[in-house]
Amino acid sequence: MGKDVFYTLKPGTPLTAEEIAMIEAARNLPVEEDEDNPEIDPMKTPEQYAALMRAVAERNKRVVEKLRRLG
């Protein structure tokens, strides 16, 4: 099995020429759908999108309530 490699990005550090070339090459790659976690599209899956929006609204309510109690 291969060795895991970890990078720690530091704000303000300029990209190397190799990193810039990798980013530019990635721009030309086709978009690939994730089969395990597909995009939630309001046109393709309106029920799933509506459920997502309800979950986001509930989360936001909890966050606001928590902030009110703290402040």
Side-chain angles (χ1 to χ4, degrees):
M1 194 153 139
K3 180 180 173 186
D4 289 338
V5 178
F6 297 92
Y7 294 97
T8 302
L9 300 176
K10 297 176 185 158
T13 304
L15 297 173
T16 65
E18 181 182 9
E19 291 169 331
I20 293 170
M22 287 171 54
I23 292 168
E24 290 174 350
R27 287 182 183 157
N28 298 324
L29 294 174
V31 175
E32 292 184 22
E33 294 290 328
D34 184 353
E35 294 174 9
D36 294 332
N37 188 20
E39 179 181 0
I40 298 176
D41 186 315
M43 302 306 270
K44 294 179 184 175
T45 55
E47 301 88 12
Q48 194 174 18
Y49 184 78
L52 172 67
M53 291 296 105
R54 285 191 301 273
V56 168
E58 286 298 318
R59 183 217 43 209
N60 290 347
K61 286 179 190 176
R62 287 193 307 271
V63 168
V64 167
E65 275 302 311
K66 188 173 184 176
L67 289 174
R68 284 185 183 148
R69 280 184 266 138
L70 292 174

